[in-house]
Amino acid sequence: MTGIFQSALGGGRALLVGWILLDERLHRYPLDDGQVAPTRLGNAIRRFEEYGHDRYRLDSQVLWHELNAAVLEPVRKQTDEAQRSVDSFVCLLYGHLVVAGAAAIEYRLAVVATDEWAGAVRAMVDLGRHPLATAFALTLPPDARQERAMWRLFGELVTTGTRRRAAGHLSPGLSALAKRPGRGRRWKVPGTTTSTAREGLVYARMNTLIGDPARIDEVTHYLETTVRPFVEAQAGNRGLAVLTNSELGIAVAGTYWDSAESMTLSEHAVEASRKEAAELAEGMVTVDHFEVPVFVRRSRPGPGAGVRMTTIDCPPGEVGAAIQAFRENAVPGLMKMEGLCSAQMLVDRELGRCLVIAAYENMDYLAGSRAAVARLRADTLTRIHAQVRSVGEYQLLFTTVREGGTNSLTQRWTDLWNAGDREGWQGMTNQTAFELRAPGGFRLAGREALDAEWSTWHDAFPDNQIAVVSIHGDENGGVLEGRFQGTHTGPLVSPAGEIAPTQRTVDIPFCEVHRVRAGQMTDSHLYFDQLELLTQLGKLDS
């Protein structure tokens, strides 16, 4: 019996040793399966190359020289010595390639030697991130999630030059750095707005869950009763919308945010809810992140509304042209469709992916729009280098998405004007408090002012469009700088009298100042050069 126990004990000890050795080998692999390299030595090195990113979202490979300069000398020396140890075994390996047994031994020793190198690199990242932040006039946030967001944005600034995304969301030191002039992408839609018009952008995270159709009701109940109040309590959240296709077992939860930073900082907080929803559905969730440059709403869609989501791919450099084509061609066409509530365009500029979402009052209006939307889609896509990747139809469960900031409000005001949607345009104002002032002593109030502003320009220039130059704003109001472009084919009513159609095309610079209260326009002060207008109409000598 004693022999049996000793044998069992020996077998258990062997099993334990085996598990320890296996764990040691697994620790020489990167955490992300997508980072696995073809060789053991490659994986042993890859695991600590990704350490800074996995733990802090600090890309130590990109910032290696900065880290090396920031850390104390003992840390730098330890890292260099550990690397030299691995290098020496690799050199011996190549020298012994003709001797198979010796080469194998040198290879294993090189792999084992990476343990010390990995520890040195981890120490460099852990200890070096503090002086690195100080060197760039940054203050490490006390919260780990905020620190990860800071390093992610900083890495994006360094690698891509995306200055606007980083500026305003970071500490003063990094904000100042992000605003310095230099090379990199400019957040500008060609031919439309400058980067200042993008400060009021809304951002969106789209979570698409595909699971068991029989469990979709349980999932949507969880989303509405548990996830909704939790998400809306996050800083910077502007609400969420949930769409479903019960037959296919698909639920789409779109959350909207004030800024890219608030969306990023919420990522960790919503991760558990996302996992719970996937388990309830016995399915999986994919996540996409977008900015929302176009959001036009005639009315708020209610539960049961029909929603069409169209995914479009285009070269990343063509995203600006796609936004412009959507504004100028698709939005006016959509606004003419019966039952339409809202239309929005979401874009991922780096991937060249666009998501167009159109909501209708009910599923019947959605179905009735299919043919017209197909024609409009084909016509719009001929203007850009893009292709449709997918089209899906859903039913709206609920939406609590709120309007964006003043800049977004001004942009939507312009989009509705260009779309010829008089009802939607006037619906953005507080019609009892609205006041209009224009050159020539023109001053009206209330609905009469709105009717006059619309009729004066649309009757005289039926094809008119506003080209946005820039938009500036704060919580109290905004300034739209633009160019009024159109053909004079109708009578133009002015304080000096009526001007008969001249069939001339005009391009008039103008500026319009708005005040905003509770998400509505309360007044408009319009400024433009009357002499320039009369000159372009041929009523004055140039």
Side-chain angles (χ1 to χ4, degrees):
M1 183 67 70
T2 302
I4 295 176
F5 278 119
Q6 289 177 341
S7 176
L9 182 62
R13 185 180 295 111
L15 181 62
L16 177 61
V17 171
W19 276 110
I20 293 173
L21 292 175
L22 177 60
D23 183 66
E24 181 180 346
R25 294 183 64 182
L26 288 176
H27 273 81
R28 295 190 181 120
Y29 282 81
L31 295 176
D32 184 358
D33 290 344
Q35 295 290 333
V36 173
T39 66
R40 288 175 59 191
L41 181 59
N43 285 310
I45 295 174
R46 182 70 58 81
R47 54 163 168 167
F48 60 81
E49 286 181 337
E50 297 298 317
Y51 172 76
H53 180 269
D54 292 337
R55 183 158 188 176
Y56 302 111
R57 289 297 182 265
L58 191 161
D59 195 331
S60 57
Q61 296 183 74
V62 172
L63 297 170
W64 181 256
H65 294 293
E66 289 83 354
L67 270 171
N68 201 45
V71 296
L72 297 174
E73 180 61 27
V75 178
R76 187 186 308 113
K77 184 177 179 180
Q78 180 186 22
T79 305
D80 291 341
E81 290 178 351
Q83 181 178 355
R84 279 196 295 270
S85 177
V86 176
D87 290 343
S88 65
F89 284 118
V90 172
C91 290
L92 290 173
L93 165 67
Y94 281 102
H96 292 156
L97 283 178
V98 294
V99 185
I105 292 173
E106 301 296 350
Y107 187 84
R108 284 196 293 270
L109 290 174
V111 172
V112 172
T114 62
D115 290 348
E116 184 177 352
W117 191 6
V121 170
R122 286 195 293 267
M124 176 173 280
V125 173
D126 291 338
L127 301 176
R129 72 187 209 281
H130 292 274
L132 178 64
T134 302
F136 284 99
L138 306 178
T139 301
L140 285 185
D143 183 86
R145 287 176 297 168
Q146 294 179 1
E147 181 183 347
R148 287 162 67 92
M150 184 196 77
W151 286 125
R152 184 191 66 78
L153 289 170
F154 181 70
E156 182 179 83
L157 171 66
V158 171
T159 56
T160 67
T162 309
R163 302 174 183 279
R164 197 227 59 86
R165 186 181 292 183
H169 296 311
L170 306 175
S171 64
L174 187 52
S175 295
L177 175 68
K179 292 173 183 176
R180 291 177 188 170
R183 142 181 103 76
R185 293 178 301 165
R186 294 186 64 194
W187 285 70
K188 183 176 185 292
V189 180
T192 54
T193 64
T194 64
S195 59
T196 53
R198 307 183 59 77
E199 295 170 1
L201 274 177
V202 174
Y203 292 80
R205 179 169 53 231
M206 306 303 292
N207 306 269
T208 304
L209 184 151
I210 303 176
D212 183 354
R215 309 196 68 175
I216 202 68
D217 289 341
E218 184 179 357
V219 173
T220 54
H221 177 74
Y222 171 72
L223 293 174
E224 186 167 16
T225 59
T226 303
V227 175
R228 171 181 168 178
F230 178 73
V231 170
E232 290 181 338
Q234 301 299 311
N237 180 256
R238 283 197 168 274
L240 71 160
V242 174
L243 320 172
T244 62
N245 184 322
S246 299
E247 294 182 1
L248 298 180
I250 302 175
V252 180
T255 60
Y256 291 73
W257 306 87
D258 281 335
S259 66
E261 184 197 26
S262 59
M263 180 169 67
T264 300
L265 292 177
S266 69
E267 189 69 42
H268 181 73
V270 301
E271 191 173 337
S273 300
R274 188 184 299 141
K275 182 178 179 181
E276 178 71 17
E279 291 177 352
L280 284 174
E282 295 183 350
M284 60 180 295
V285 179
T286 58
V287 183
D288 297 289
H289 300 84
F290 300 95
E291 63 178 71
V292 190
V294 183
F295 192 143
V296 182
R297 175 182 282 172
R298 298 182 63 183
S299 60
R300 179 181 289 274
V307 180
R308 180 179 295 111
M309 297 177 61
T310 305
T311 304
I312 300 170
D313 285 341
C314 68
E318 296 290 323
V319 171
I323 295 172
Q324 186 172 357
F326 182 74
R327 278 202 177 111
E328 295 178 355
N329 193 67
V331 170
L334 287 169
M335 288 299 157
K336 296 175 183 177
M337 294 187 184
E338 189 175 8
L340 185 91
C341 296
S342 64
Q344 55 183 296
M345 186 181 201
L346 289 65
V347 301
D348 183 327
R349 294 176 183 270
E350 295 181 0
L351 296 180
R353 180 160 299 167
C354 306
L355 182 63
V356 175
I357 305 176
Y360 296 79
E361 292 178 13
N362 54 51
M363 297 298 290
D364 291 336
Y365 280 124
L366 175 67
S369 69
R370 288 170 185 159
V373 168
R375 291 191 296 270
L376 179 62
R377 184 188 304 128
D379 180 57
T380 303
L381 290 178
T382 60
R383 303 164 184 259
I384 55 176
H385 301 291
Q387 58 183 2
V388 175
R389 190 161 64 92
S390 65
V391 178
E393 293 187 349
Y394 305 86
Q395 190 168 42
L396 179 67
L397 180 66
F398 68 86
T399 178
T400 63
V401 179
R402 302 185 296 279
E403 301 293 338
T406 301
N407 289 4
S408 297
L409 197 68
T410 303
Q411 183 63 66
R412 286 195 293 278
W413 167 278
T414 307
D415 289 338
L416 290 168
W417 177 281
N418 287 340
D421 186 356
R422 181 172 186 163
E423 181 181 351
W425 180 80
Q426 292 184 339
M428 293 184 65
T429 66
N430 182 333
Q431 298 186 20
T432 58
F434 190 81
E435 180 181 77
L436 170 65
R437 297 184 184 184
F442 192 87
R443 184 170 182 173
L444 290 173
R447 182 62 181 259
E448 182 183 8
L450 292 166
D451 289 338
E453 184 172 9
W454 184 274
S455 299
T456 296
W457 301 107
H458 278 84
D459 289 352
F461 303 87
D463 65 344
N464 82 82
Q465 292 283 292
I466 292 175
V468 176
V469 176
S470 63
I471 298 174
H472 311 267
D474 59 20
E475 67 275 9
N476 298 315
V479 178
L480 165 64
E481 180 187 359
R483 304 187 71 88
F484 179 87
Q485 302 164 337
T487 308
H488 183 209
T489 58
L492 174 60
V493 178
S494 73
E498 185 176 291
I499 301 174
T502 63
Q503 308 304 320
R504 288 176 175 251
T505 299
V506 301
D507 185 345
I508 306 298
F510 74 92
C511 179
E512 191 165 17
V513 182
H514 300 108
R515 285 195 179 92
V516 174
R517 185 182 304 118
Q520 290 186 312
M521 303 286 193
T522 59
D523 60 38
S524 171
H525 293 183
L526 178 62
Y527 303 91
F528 64 91
D529 189 334
Q530 292 177 284
L531 294 180
E532 178 66 22
L533 174 61
L534 293 173
T535 299
Q536 291 193 26
L537 291 177
K539 297 301 180 181
L540 291 177
D541 293 332
S542 58

